[in-house]
Short mmCIF file of all heavy atoms in Angstrom, two decimals:
data_model
loop_
_atom_site.label_atom_id
_atom_site.label_comp_id
_atom_site.label_asym_id
_atom_site.label_seq_id
_atom_site.Cartn_x
_atom_site.Cartn_y
_atom_site.Cartn_z
N TYR A 7 -3.85 42.62 31.21
CA TYR A 7 -4.26 43.19 29.92
C TYR A 7 -3.52 42.50 28.77
O TYR A 7 -4.11 42.16 27.75
CB TYR A 7 -3.97 44.68 29.91
CG TYR A 7 -4.24 45.32 28.57
CD1 TYR A 7 -5.55 45.57 28.14
CD2 TYR A 7 -3.19 45.67 27.72
CE1 TYR A 7 -5.78 46.15 26.90
CE2 TYR A 7 -3.42 46.24 26.50
CZ TYR A 7 -4.73 46.49 26.09
OH TYR A 7 -4.96 47.04 24.87
N VAL A 8 -2.21 42.27 28.96
CA VAL A 8 -1.42 41.61 27.91
C VAL A 8 -1.92 40.19 27.66
O VAL A 8 -2.08 39.75 26.52
CB VAL A 8 0.08 41.60 28.27
CG1 VAL A 8 0.86 40.72 27.31
CG2 VAL A 8 0.63 43.01 28.26
N VAL A 9 -2.19 39.44 28.75
CA VAL A 9 -2.71 38.08 28.60
C VAL A 9 -4.05 38.09 27.88
O VAL A 9 -4.32 37.31 26.97
CB VAL A 9 -2.84 37.41 29.99
CG1 VAL A 9 -3.58 36.09 29.86
CG2 VAL A 9 -1.46 37.20 30.59
N TRP A 10 -4.93 39.04 28.28
CA TRP A 10 -6.25 39.14 27.65
C TRP A 10 -6.13 39.49 26.18
O TRP A 10 -6.81 38.94 25.33
CB TRP A 10 -7.07 40.22 28.38
CG TRP A 10 -8.41 40.46 27.73
CD1 TRP A 10 -9.56 39.79 27.95
CD2 TRP A 10 -8.70 41.44 26.73
NE1 TRP A 10 -10.56 40.29 27.14
CE2 TRP A 10 -10.05 41.30 26.39
CE3 TRP A 10 -7.93 42.43 26.10
CZ2 TRP A 10 -10.68 42.11 25.45
CZ3 TRP A 10 -8.55 43.22 25.15
CH2 TRP A 10 -9.90 43.07 24.82
N LEU A 11 -5.19 40.39 25.86
CA LEU A 11 -4.99 40.80 24.48
C LEU A 11 -4.49 39.64 23.62
O LEU A 11 -4.97 39.40 22.52
CB LEU A 11 -3.98 41.95 24.42
CG LEU A 11 -3.65 42.52 23.02
CD1 LEU A 11 -4.93 43.06 22.38
CD2 LEU A 11 -2.58 43.59 23.11
N CYS A 12 -3.54 38.84 24.16
CA CYS A 12 -3.01 37.68 23.41
C CYS A 12 -4.11 36.66 23.15
O CYS A 12 -4.23 36.11 22.07
CB CYS A 12 -1.88 37.02 24.19
SG CYS A 12 -0.38 38.03 24.26
N CYS A 13 -4.93 36.41 24.19
CA CYS A 13 -6.03 35.45 24.03
C CYS A 13 -7.02 35.94 23.00
O CYS A 13 -7.55 35.19 22.18
CB CYS A 13 -6.74 35.23 25.37
SG CYS A 13 -5.72 34.36 26.58
N GLY A 14 -7.26 37.26 23.03
CA GLY A 14 -8.21 37.82 22.07
C GLY A 14 -7.70 37.70 20.65
O GLY A 14 -8.44 37.35 19.73
N LEU A 15 -6.41 37.98 20.45
CA LEU A 15 -5.84 37.85 19.12
C LEU A 15 -5.87 36.41 18.64
O LEU A 15 -6.12 36.12 17.47
CB LEU A 15 -4.40 38.37 19.13
CG LEU A 15 -4.23 39.88 19.27
CD1 LEU A 15 -2.76 40.24 19.44
CD2 LEU A 15 -4.83 40.61 18.07
N SER A 16 -5.59 35.45 19.56
CA SER A 16 -5.62 34.03 19.20
C SER A 16 -7.00 33.63 18.74
O SER A 16 -7.18 32.91 17.76
CB SER A 16 -5.19 33.18 20.39
OG SER A 16 -5.31 31.82 20.09
N ALA A 17 -8.04 34.13 19.44
CA ALA A 17 -9.40 33.80 19.07
C ALA A 17 -9.75 34.38 17.72
O ALA A 17 -10.44 33.77 16.91
CB ALA A 17 -10.37 34.32 20.14
N CYS A 18 -9.23 35.60 17.44
CA CYS A 18 -9.50 36.23 16.15
C CYS A 18 -8.86 35.46 15.00
O CYS A 18 -9.40 35.39 13.91
CB CYS A 18 -8.98 37.67 16.16
SG CYS A 18 -9.95 38.77 17.22
N ASN A 19 -7.68 34.89 15.27
CA ASN A 19 -6.97 34.17 14.21
C ASN A 19 -7.52 32.78 13.97
O ASN A 19 -7.22 32.16 12.96
CB ASN A 19 -5.48 34.08 14.56
CG ASN A 19 -4.80 35.43 14.47
OD1 ASN A 19 -5.24 36.29 13.72
ND2 ASN A 19 -3.73 35.61 15.24
N LYS A 20 -8.29 32.25 14.89
CA LYS A 20 -8.83 30.90 14.73
C LYS A 20 -9.93 30.91 13.68
O LYS A 20 -10.87 31.70 13.74
CB LYS A 20 -9.39 30.41 16.07
CG LYS A 20 -9.82 28.95 16.03
CD LYS A 20 -10.20 28.47 17.42
CE LYS A 20 -10.58 27.00 17.39
NZ LYS A 20 -10.91 26.50 18.74
N LEU A 21 -9.79 30.07 12.68
CA LEU A 21 -10.74 30.04 11.57
C LEU A 21 -11.95 29.20 11.93
O LEU A 21 -11.82 28.04 12.31
CB LEU A 21 -10.06 29.47 10.32
CG LEU A 21 -8.91 30.30 9.75
CD1 LEU A 21 -8.27 29.55 8.59
CD2 LEU A 21 -9.39 31.66 9.29
N GLU A 22 -13.11 29.80 11.82
CA GLU A 22 -14.35 29.07 12.04
C GLU A 22 -14.77 28.41 10.74
O GLU A 22 -14.68 29.02 9.66
CB GLU A 22 -15.45 30.02 12.53
CG GLU A 22 -15.18 30.64 13.89
CD GLU A 22 -15.18 29.62 15.01
OE1 GLU A 22 -15.90 28.61 14.89
OE2 GLU A 22 -14.46 29.83 16.01
N ILE A 23 -15.21 27.17 10.81
CA ILE A 23 -15.67 26.49 9.61
C ILE A 23 -17.18 26.34 9.65
O ILE A 23 -17.78 26.21 10.72
CB ILE A 23 -14.99 25.12 9.43
CG1 ILE A 23 -15.27 24.21 10.62
CG2 ILE A 23 -13.50 25.27 9.21
CD1 ILE A 23 -14.75 22.80 10.43
N LYS A 24 -17.77 26.31 8.48
CA LYS A 24 -19.23 26.23 8.40
C LYS A 24 -19.68 24.79 8.57
O LYS A 24 -18.93 23.84 8.28
CB LYS A 24 -19.69 26.77 7.05
CG LYS A 24 -19.14 26.01 5.86
CD LYS A 24 -19.50 26.68 4.55
CE LYS A 24 -18.89 25.90 3.36
NZ LYS A 24 -19.18 26.52 2.08
N PRO A 25 -20.92 24.57 9.03
CA PRO A 25 -21.46 23.20 9.12
C PRO A 25 -21.50 22.55 7.73
O PRO A 25 -21.64 23.22 6.71
CB PRO A 25 -22.87 23.43 9.67
CG PRO A 25 -22.82 24.76 10.33
CD PRO A 25 -21.84 25.58 9.54
N VAL A 26 -21.39 21.24 7.71
CA VAL A 26 -21.37 20.51 6.45
C VAL A 26 -22.77 20.43 5.86
O VAL A 26 -23.72 20.00 6.53
CB VAL A 26 -20.82 19.08 6.65
CG1 VAL A 26 -20.82 18.33 5.32
CG2 VAL A 26 -19.42 19.12 7.22
N ASP A 27 -22.88 20.86 4.61
CA ASP A 27 -24.15 20.80 3.88
C ASP A 27 -24.01 19.75 2.78
O ASP A 27 -23.36 19.99 1.76
CB ASP A 27 -24.47 22.17 3.28
CG ASP A 27 -25.74 22.16 2.43
OD1 ASP A 27 -26.57 21.24 2.62
OD2 ASP A 27 -25.90 23.06 1.58
N PHE A 28 -24.57 18.56 3.01
CA PHE A 28 -24.45 17.48 2.02
C PHE A 28 -25.56 16.45 2.20
O PHE A 28 -25.91 16.10 3.32
CB PHE A 28 -23.10 16.77 2.14
CG PHE A 28 -22.99 15.56 1.24
CD1 PHE A 28 -22.82 15.72 -0.13
CD2 PHE A 28 -23.08 14.28 1.75
CE1 PHE A 28 -22.74 14.61 -0.97
CE2 PHE A 28 -22.99 13.17 0.92
CZ PHE A 28 -22.82 13.35 -0.44
N ASN A 29 -26.07 15.98 1.07
CA ASN A 29 -27.01 14.85 1.07
C ASN A 29 -26.86 14.08 -0.23
O ASN A 29 -26.34 14.62 -1.22
CB ASN A 29 -28.45 15.32 1.25
CG ASN A 29 -29.27 14.32 2.07
OD1 ASN A 29 -28.96 13.13 2.10
ND2 ASN A 29 -30.30 14.80 2.74
N VAL A 30 -27.30 12.83 -0.20
CA VAL A 30 -27.22 11.97 -1.37
C VAL A 30 -28.49 11.15 -1.48
O VAL A 30 -29.07 10.75 -0.47
CB VAL A 30 -25.97 11.05 -1.29
CG1 VAL A 30 -25.98 10.21 -0.01
CG2 VAL A 30 -25.85 10.16 -2.52
N SER A 31 -28.92 10.92 -2.72
CA SER A 31 -30.15 10.15 -2.94
C SER A 31 -29.99 9.23 -4.14
O SER A 31 -29.11 9.42 -4.98
CB SER A 31 -31.34 11.10 -3.16
OG SER A 31 -31.14 11.88 -4.33
N LEU A 32 -30.85 8.22 -4.18
CA LEU A 32 -30.91 7.25 -5.28
C LEU A 32 -32.33 7.18 -5.82
O LEU A 32 -33.29 7.42 -5.10
CB LEU A 32 -30.50 5.86 -4.78
CG LEU A 32 -29.03 5.57 -4.51
CD1 LEU A 32 -28.90 4.28 -3.72
CD2 LEU A 32 -28.25 5.48 -5.81
N ASP A 33 -32.44 6.80 -7.09
CA ASP A 33 -33.76 6.58 -7.67
C ASP A 33 -34.37 5.29 -7.14
O ASP A 33 -35.59 5.15 -7.03
CB ASP A 33 -33.68 6.54 -9.20
CG ASP A 33 -33.24 7.87 -9.79
OD1 ASP A 33 -33.54 8.91 -9.16
OD2 ASP A 33 -32.59 7.86 -10.84
N LYS A 34 -33.52 4.30 -6.84
CA LYS A 34 -33.97 3.02 -6.30
C LYS A 34 -32.79 2.37 -5.59
O LYS A 34 -31.67 2.87 -5.65
CB LYS A 34 -34.49 2.11 -7.41
CG LYS A 34 -33.49 1.86 -8.55
CD LYS A 34 -34.10 1.01 -9.66
CE LYS A 34 -33.06 0.74 -10.77
NZ LYS A 34 -33.62 -0.13 -11.83
N ASN A 35 -33.02 1.25 -4.93
CA ASN A 35 -31.97 0.60 -4.15
C ASN A 35 -31.57 -0.77 -4.69
O ASN A 35 -30.68 -1.40 -4.15
CB ASN A 35 -32.39 0.45 -2.69
CG ASN A 35 -32.43 1.79 -1.98
OD1 ASN A 35 -33.45 2.47 -2.00
ND2 ASN A 35 -31.33 2.18 -1.36
N THR A 36 -32.24 -1.24 -5.74
CA THR A 36 -31.95 -2.56 -6.32
C THR A 36 -31.58 -2.41 -7.79
O THR A 36 -32.31 -1.76 -8.56
CB THR A 36 -33.15 -3.51 -6.17
OG1 THR A 36 -33.48 -3.62 -4.78
CG2 THR A 36 -32.82 -4.89 -6.71
N TYR A 37 -30.45 -3.05 -8.16
CA TYR A 37 -29.96 -2.96 -9.54
C TYR A 37 -29.45 -4.33 -9.98
O TYR A 37 -29.31 -5.25 -9.17
CB TYR A 37 -28.81 -1.94 -9.62
CG TYR A 37 -29.20 -0.53 -9.27
CD1 TYR A 37 -29.24 -0.11 -7.93
CD2 TYR A 37 -29.52 0.39 -10.26
CE1 TYR A 37 -29.60 1.20 -7.61
CE2 TYR A 37 -29.87 1.70 -9.94
CZ TYR A 37 -29.92 2.08 -8.61
OH TYR A 37 -30.27 3.37 -8.28
N LYS A 38 -29.15 -4.42 -11.26
CA LYS A 38 -28.55 -5.62 -11.84
C LYS A 38 -27.04 -5.42 -11.96
O LYS A 38 -26.55 -4.29 -12.05
CB LYS A 38 -29.13 -5.91 -13.22
CG LYS A 38 -30.64 -6.15 -13.24
CD LYS A 38 -31.00 -7.47 -12.59
CE LYS A 38 -32.50 -7.76 -12.75
NZ LYS A 38 -32.88 -9.01 -12.04
N VAL A 39 -26.31 -6.54 -11.98
CA VAL A 39 -24.87 -6.47 -12.24
C VAL A 39 -24.64 -5.77 -13.57
O VAL A 39 -25.26 -6.11 -14.58
CB VAL A 39 -24.25 -7.88 -12.26
CG1 VAL A 39 -22.79 -7.82 -12.74
CG2 VAL A 39 -24.31 -8.52 -10.88
N GLY A 40 -23.77 -4.78 -13.57
CA GLY A 40 -23.46 -4.05 -14.80
C GLY A 40 -24.29 -2.80 -15.00
O GLY A 40 -23.98 -1.99 -15.89
N ASP A 41 -25.36 -2.62 -14.21
CA ASP A 41 -26.15 -1.40 -14.30
C ASP A 41 -25.33 -0.19 -13.84
O ASP A 41 -24.43 -0.32 -13.00
CB ASP A 41 -27.41 -1.49 -13.43
CG ASP A 41 -28.49 -2.35 -14.04
OD1 ASP A 41 -28.32 -2.78 -15.20
OD2 ASP A 41 -29.50 -2.60 -13.34
N THR A 42 -25.68 0.97 -14.36
CA THR A 42 -25.07 2.21 -13.88
C THR A 42 -25.90 2.75 -12.73
O THR A 42 -27.09 3.05 -12.90
CB THR A 42 -24.99 3.26 -15.01
OG1 THR A 42 -24.16 2.75 -16.06
CG2 THR A 42 -24.39 4.56 -14.48
N VAL A 43 -25.29 2.83 -11.56
CA VAL A 43 -25.96 3.37 -10.38
C VAL A 43 -25.62 4.85 -10.28
O VAL A 43 -24.44 5.22 -10.28
CB VAL A 43 -25.51 2.63 -9.10
CG1 VAL A 43 -26.24 3.19 -7.88
CG2 VAL A 43 -25.76 1.14 -9.23
N ARG A 44 -26.65 5.68 -10.22
CA ARG A 44 -26.43 7.13 -10.17
C ARG A 44 -26.78 7.66 -8.78
O ARG A 44 -27.91 7.53 -8.32
CB ARG A 44 -27.27 7.84 -11.23
CG ARG A 44 -26.80 7.57 -12.65
CD ARG A 44 -27.62 8.31 -13.69
NE ARG A 44 -27.10 8.07 -15.03
CZ ARG A 44 -27.41 7.01 -15.77
NH1 ARG A 44 -28.24 6.10 -15.29
NH2 ARG A 44 -26.89 6.87 -16.97
N PHE A 45 -25.78 8.24 -8.14
CA PHE A 45 -25.96 8.88 -6.84
C PHE A 45 -26.11 10.38 -7.09
O PHE A 45 -25.24 11.01 -7.70
CB PHE A 45 -24.74 8.62 -5.95
CG PHE A 45 -24.47 7.16 -5.67
CD1 PHE A 45 -23.58 6.45 -6.47
CD2 PHE A 45 -25.10 6.50 -4.64
CE1 PHE A 45 -23.32 5.12 -6.23
CE2 PHE A 45 -24.84 5.16 -4.38
CZ PHE A 45 -23.96 4.46 -5.18
N ASN A 46 -27.20 10.96 -6.62
CA ASN A 46 -27.49 12.37 -6.83
C ASN A 46 -27.11 13.16 -5.57
O ASN A 46 -27.51 12.79 -4.46
CB ASN A 46 -28.96 12.57 -7.16
CG ASN A 46 -29.37 11.78 -8.40
OD1 ASN A 46 -28.80 11.96 -9.47
ND2 ASN A 46 -30.34 10.88 -8.25
#
Side-chain angles (χ1 to χ4, degrees):
Y7 174 76
V8 170
V9 171
W10 176 86
L11 181 60
C12 291
C13 292
L15 289 173
S16 176
C18 289
N19 290 333
K20 187 173 182 178
L21 296 175
E22 295 294 330
I23 59 174
K24 61 186 178 181
V26 179
D27 177 21
F28 174 73
N29 215 334
V30 56
S31 63
L32 285 167
D33 296 330
K34 56 183 181 178
N35 290 88
T36 302
Y37 297 83
K38 300 289 186 184
V39 171
D41 284 353
T42 299
V43 181
R44 291 181 177 84
F45 300 94
N46 302 302

